[in-house]
Amino acid sequence: MAFREYKIGTRMFGIALGGSMMITLYMPSLSIYSVGVTETGLVKGLSYGHNSGFSYEDPFLQGKGKPLTVTVKKDPVTGDDIDPVSAYVYKAGTPFPSAIRNPNILGKAVQALSAEDGQVGEAVESDGAVFLVSRGDYEGETFPYIENVTATRKWTADAVLTAAADTDKHHVGSGKTMFIREGCWWCHTLLPEQTQDWQYFGLPPRLGDFNGEAPTAFGSDRKAPDLLHVGSRNSSKEWMMMHFFNPRLVQPHSIMPRFDYLWGEVDANDNDIDFDQWRTDYKEYAAGNSIYPPVVPNYAPNSEIRYLMDFVLSLK
Amino acid sequence: MFKYLFAKNEDIPAGSAAVFFGFSSIIWFIIGTGLGSFNAAKLAFPDFVTGSYMFAFGHMRQVHVMAVIFGWISMAFAMAFMYITPALGNTKLWSEKLGVWTCFNWNAGLSVALCLMWAGVTSGREYTDFPWPIDLIILFAVLLPLGINVWMTIVHRKTQGIYTTNWFFGSAVFMLMIVVLVGNLPEYFSLTGLTEAYLTWWHAHNILGLWITPVAAAIAYYTVPKITGNPLYSHRIGHLHFWSVVVFYSTPGAHHLMSSPLPEWLKSFASVEGVLILVPAIAFVSNLLLTMTGKWHYFVDNIEIRFTISGVMLAIPLNMQGGFQQTRAINWYVHGTGWIVAHAHLALLGFSTFLEAAAVYYGLQTILRRKLYSLALANFHFWFLLIGFATYWISITIAGLIQGAAKIYEVPYIDVVIAEHPYMIARWVGGTMVFTGNVVWLYNMWMTARAGTPVPVGRLPHEIAYER
């Protein structure tokens, strides 16, 4: 390496690559860092939990260590009826989301409101906590912020879960993990495009819609409809159930795989699901030998398909 | 292979690491294309194999991608490093033993990583799907030893200058390490939101731009002059190629997210830099094609040159697409459609695979000192690869244009699925042809090692290709 040219070359290489890293890493990070979170971003961050991909708490992506989204209709402390609100319930030990761990990703206003009015600093992971998305004023403007209702209203995670019916508990966080693990995002994008899609798939996401979400799983190869607003287009649980079990039941031309295996071993009544019999019956139906398709079994309350459906229906 | 892991470095025959890498890469190519063919069948016939997560499309798609990128392409690169770097420095590989260990770590690590990913253990980030502990293992147990071997071989060279190929080899393995390290930052530190999305695509772009494209090109810089006997047309153009790769190719990561809410300046900047990728592309293609001057008969009668020059020629449509499809005017139409999938296969299965196949063909013959077992089977491999790839590329490009039209005219999505069906079948046929060709290739190379005619001392295999 004694050549003088190579010394110059090595330095030039460092400058060239360093300059490129400066422009493509450092400068964008400044731009993105200054983005304030939107209400959508807060809801996503709080309902998905810490990380939907591989993590220590959930190395095999089974949906462990994720919060529940609970529709609260009665005040869990007083028992009075209230206007329904979505509460994000972190049981004791559930990892807090990035919005709580690193509140500086929220932007100045939301961070300040969450700290002062929302008391998020008092939330302790090992005790669990319940969060709401509330609205408050900061320097004359209204912003959404995170309210730690365990501190402000004494709603503990256990109290909220005891007071709520099972149908009001949504496993949105675990469902996002299913969405990642099952590779839904290889075909369904979560990114209506800015240049079209407005009429068909709805509003493209805004700049602050993702703060706190990881992985974002936008998807790159759209072989199927965009799902960012699917819950607004179709909120029928029955349709979703049939579609997940065998998409050809509701859409004969669909190329979506069957996700019947997410039902697990048993149905809602704890009876074994006879998949072989179902397939035999379905083949009869598909061949035109029977008029009705076999009935899709109701899923068990702790089945993976419930998680996934709760997530998909949460995409409003 | 195992006996060499604990042998003394001097006792390991020169070229062992390259041979192990060569055969590993062919086997991974068969696995990768087999999975690709299986996946394509599921897109055409969704009830093909069903009822278990093991054979669900969403569990297998990324295994196909990672098997071909880090199994086939990158191991073929490693093979090229192991024999071309020392050959161009007129020396031996710095440590044959380290090379054998790298090969062992790589195969073992990739097998574990792909099995985990198949079971669903993923980071959920495209092209960096492996969870971060595995990425770190790849970085320190595979890429670092690979880099050390290449750099030390270059340092200990017995030539005065460093040839173009070795600039690319030495710098690309370094840049790959930086890309893997930085691209996984969101996973180490739980970065979220747009930062995570942007870094995912920064990593994906730079894997292509700073690893696959330059190393594949560098292989052609070796094989074409070596086999034709013509000197490289211009080292100046080689300089231009090298520096424009470093400066232009490392910057347009954001053009993968043109329709996302990233900062507008970043998208515009990436788009302009993306067009500038044509600078290294044109430099590379023109340099190589001009090197062929007067020796074009090799394109017909030499299998390695036919593979190499086909790859170089496929770089022309590749870069024409790549340069312009990411501008806002065109990205609007093709983003997220099969057009992009076809483009990715043009880059990896067209351009780069053809260059690497030439390196593996040539390397195994020269190291083993054996003539190719069967030229007919090699021709079969070439044509099955080319026709299979062309079938795939053309059908998915058409399918992508249908998707693009349906996207902007807001056609109900199911009508797109129905319209694409014939092209999905064609894609499966094309992919299966590539897979079949590769099985034949493995047989041919295995028989070359076992029963190929020995190449006499002082001769090169391609010189005696048509002698009995």
Side-chain angles (χ1 to χ4, degrees):
Chain A
M1 299 290 272
F3 254 12
R4 194 171 61 91
E5 284 82 350
Y6 291 135
K7 278 192 182 155
I8 298 169
T10 316
R11 282 173 198 163
M12 277 173 60
F13 178 79
I15 293 168
L17 196 66
S20 152
M21 301 296 112
M22 162 95 182
I23 298 173
T24 60
L25 292 173
Y26 180 66
M27 286 167 59
S29 75
L30 291 185
S31 271
I32 295 173
Y33 182 75
S34 60
V35 171
V37 67
T38 58
E39 187 163 344
T40 312
L42 282 182
V43 168
K44 284 185 177 186
L46 290 173
S47 54
Y48 301 159
H50 183 233
N51 187 332
S52 309
F54 168 86
S55 65
Y56 287 137
E57 299 79 25
D58 192 15
F60 295 99
L61 280 82
Q62 293 162 311
K64 289 179 182 165
K66 295 292 182 291
L68 287 171
T69 304
V70 178
T71 311
V72 180
K73 297 170 178 166
K74 281 186 178 167
D75 188 309
V77 178
T78 62
D80 298 338
D81 286 345
I82 56 171
D83 287 340
V85 288
S86 288
Y88 308 99
V89 181
Y90 288 72
K91 282 189 265 190
T94 303
F96 280 167
S98 291
I100 306 293
R101 289 187 177 187
N102 315 305
N104 56 341
I105 64 168
L106 300 174
K108 204 171 72 174
V110 182
Q111 185 183 359
L113 281 170
S114 304
E116 287 153 25
D117 298 4
Q119 302 186 16
V120 290
E122 291 176 30
V124 183
E125 213 168 82
S126 53
D127 298 342
V130 181
F131 301 104
L132 297 185
V133 175
S134 307
R135 282 167 176 275
D137 289 331
Y138 181 80
E139 293 178 353
E141 271 189 82
T142 306
F143 287 96
Y145 69 91
I146 303 171
E147 184 178 352
N148 172 16
V149 279
T150 309
T152 58
R153 304 187 207 171
K154 309 289 175 234
W155 292 11
T156 59
D158 287 340
V160 172
L161 290 176
T162 318
D166 189 53
T167 46
D168 289 333
K169 296 173 190 166
H170 310 290
H171 299 259
V172 175
S174 306
K176 171 90 191 276
T177 302
M178 298 296 126
F179 190 83
I180 300 294
R181 187 189 76 190
E182 294 304 321
C184 308
W185 54 289
W186 292 121
C187 302
H188 294 281
T189 49
L190 288 178
L191 184 74
E193 296 185 8
Q194 286 181 344
T195 38
Q196 57 272 316
D197 287 352
W198 290 74
Q199 294 202 15
Y200 207 82
F201 294 127
L203 190 70
R206 286 157 301 169
L207 205 52
D209 280 359
F210 310 103
N211 300 21
E213 186 184 357
T216 40
F218 287 161
S220 60
D221 172 14
R222 189 190 280 173
K223 295 189 276 292
D226 189 275
L227 293 186
L228 193 66
H229 304 295
V230 66
S232 303
R233 292 201 295 273
N234 182 350
S235 57
S236 160
K237 265 196 176 176
E238 289 69 27
W239 189 92
M240 291 281 170
M241 216 169 84
M242 291 172 79
H243 188 248
F244 276 120
F245 201 82
N246 184 340
R248 264 69 64 195
L249 285 174
V250 287
Q251 178 45 269
H253 297 289
S254 169
I255 57 166
M256 184 167 126
R258 302 181 192 186
F259 288 96
D260 47 4
Y261 56 85
L262 293 180
W263 261 249
E265 304 278 312
V266 293
D267 66 7
N269 303 321
D270 234 10
N271 298 322
D272 284 349
I273 303 176
D274 191 347
F275 288 101
D276 292 336
Q277 183 61 43
W278 198 94
R279 276 154 201 242
T280 316
D281 294 350
Y282 176 74
K283 271 185 192 154
E284 285 291 296
Y285 164 72
N289 297 333
S290 67
I291 300 170
Y292 298 110
V295 176
V296 172
N298 280 318
Y299 52 82
N302 58 352
S303 60
E304 294 184 330
I305 190 63
R306 177 182 181 184
Y307 302 165
L308 184 56
M309 278 188 32
D310 284 350
F311 168 71
V312 170
L313 291 169
S314 82
L315 293 166
K316 295 290 185 189
Chain B
M1 175 176 176
F2 296 103
K3 70 178 178 186
Y4 291 138
L5 287 177
F6 298 103
K8 280 187 191 156
N9 192 33
E10 307 84 76
D11 297 341
I12 304 175
S16 301
V19 171
F20 294 140
F21 266 121
F23 277 103
S24 305
S25 71
I26 300 175
I27 291 168
W28 280 110
F29 198 13
I30 291 176
I31 295 171
T33 48
L35 284 167
S37 163
F38 191 79
N39 287 346
K42 291 179 83 78
L43 288 176
F45 309 105
D47 287 331
F48 172 45
V49 178
T50 188
S52 154
Y53 80 93
M54 281 298 290
F55 300 108
F57 180 84
H59 280 259
M60 293 173 67
R61 189 246 194 219
Q62 62 272 46
V63 183
H64 156 68
V65 172
M66 296 310 246
V68 291
I69 292 183
F70 291 106
W72 154 238
I73 291 177
S74 297
M75 281 204 199
F77 285 172
M79 191 245 186
F81 289 178
M82 297 290 148
Y83 84 90
I84 294 179
T85 309
L88 289 171
N90 202 8
T91 180
K92 278 183 172 174
L93 188 65
W94 181 65
S95 168
E96 204 66 51
K97 188 172 177 177
L98 186 63
V100 176
W101 267 102
T102 312
C103 185
F104 173 78
N105 287 353
W106 199 328
N107 279 300
L110 192 64
S111 306
V112 171
L114 290 180
C115 288
L116 283 174
M117 202 160 72
W118 200 322
V121 182
T122 171
S123 65
R125 304 175 60 226
E126 192 167 359
Y127 292 110
T128 168
D129 316 60
F130 296 142
W132 62 266
I134 289 180
D135 283 314
L136 287 182
I137 291 171
I138 290 174
L139 188 62
F140 290 108
V142 173
L143 300 183
L144 187 63
L146 182 70
I148 289 173
N149 228 344
V150 173
W151 301 325
M152 292 310 282
T153 306
I154 294 176
V155 168
H156 289 280
R157 72 189 183 280
K158 296 200 178 86
T159 54
Q160 192 185 26
I162 303 176
Y163 180 65
T164 322
T165 298
N166 275 350
W167 312 337
F168 278 106
F169 282 0
S171 57
V173 68
F174 171 74
M175 291 191 287
L176 177 67
M177 288 165 64
I178 301 285
V179 170
V180 171
L181 195 65
V182 174
N184 282 297
L185 284 176
E187 292 172 46
Y188 319 135
F189 301 116
S190 295
L191 305 184
T192 58
L194 279 180
T195 318
E196 184 271 331
Y198 175 58
L199 276 173
T200 301
W201 287 101
W202 181 91
H203 169 275
H205 177 85
N206 287 343
I207 287 278
L208 270 291
L210 302 180
W211 173 243
I212 293 176
T213 316
V215 179
I219 287 173
Y221 276 121
Y222 174 75
T223 44
V224 174
K226 178 77 185 170
I227 294 171
T228 61
N230 277 353
L232 184 65
Y233 175 73
S234 164
H235 281 267
R236 282 277 167 83
I237 299 180
H239 275 276
L240 177 67
H241 178 198
F242 178 81
W243 289 105
S244 54
V245 161
V246 177
V247 174
F248 297 142
Y249 226 135
S250 59
T251 43
H255 71 201
H256 295 258
L257 290 168
M258 287 300 275
S259 55
S260 76
L262 276 183
E264 289 300 315
W265 72 264
L266 183 60
K267 288 194 271 183
S268 299
F269 172 78
S271 194
V272 173
E273 294 285 306
V275 177
L276 288 173
I277 287 178
L278 285 169
V279 174
I282 293 169
F284 163 66
V285 172
S286 51
N287 209 357
L288 264 295
L289 294 187
L290 286 166
T291 303
M292 286 292 290
T293 308
K295 298 287 174 70
W296 275 97
H297 63 91
Y298 276 104
F299 183 49
V300 179
D301 58 32
N302 178 279
I303 190 72
E304 292 87 10
I305 288 291
R306 198 189 309 151
F307 265 108
T308 309
I309 294 300
S310 302
V312 172
M313 286 178 171
L314 287 170
I316 299 170
L318 170 71
N319 290 294
M320 285 298 162
Q321 283 191 343
F324 294 113
Q325 73 191 14
Q326 44 84 43
T327 58
R328 285 173 198 254
I330 301 177
N331 198 258
W332 170 71
Y333 198 90
V334 297
H335 180 258
T337 69
W339 171 285
I340 305 295
V341 183
H343 173 75
H345 282 80
L346 176 58
L348 298 182
L349 177 57
F351 160 70
S352 116
T353 283
F354 278 73
L355 299 176
E356 287 131 31
V360 175
Y361 267 110
Y362 190 72
L364 286 179
Q365 290 177 76
T366 42
I367 299 161
L368 298 167
R369 302 295 306 161
R370 279 174 190 277
K371 216 174 90 171
L372 202 56
Y373 172 70
S374 163
L375 202 53
L377 289 182
N379 280 327
F380 177 90
H381 178 222
F382 175 82
W383 287 110
F384 260 55
L385 228 56
L386 189 65
I387 297 171
F389 156 72
T391 310
Y392 182 100
W393 183 53
I394 293 167
S395 61
I396 295 305
T397 299
I398 297 173
L401 291 172
I402 295 173
Q403 273 178 296
K407 184 169 76 167
I408 61 171
Y409 295 116
E410 283 154 8
V411 174
Y413 205 91
I414 194 64
D415 292 343
V416 182
V417 175
I418 295 167
E420 281 183 327
H421 183 63
Y423 304 101
M424 292 292 164
I425 296 173
R427 151 195 241 180
W428 171 58
V429 170
T432 309
M433 281 182 75
V434 172
F435 169 69
T436 314
N438 289 335
V439 175
V440 170
W441 187 27
L442 180 63
Y443 172 75
N444 197 13
M445 293 327 279
W446 185 255
M447 291 306 288
T448 301
R450 285 281 142 137
T453 313
V455 176
V457 178
R459 306 295 305 275
L460 290 171
H462 65 269
E463 295 170 351
I464 54 167
Y466 291 96
E467 289 172 20
R468 285 191 186 277

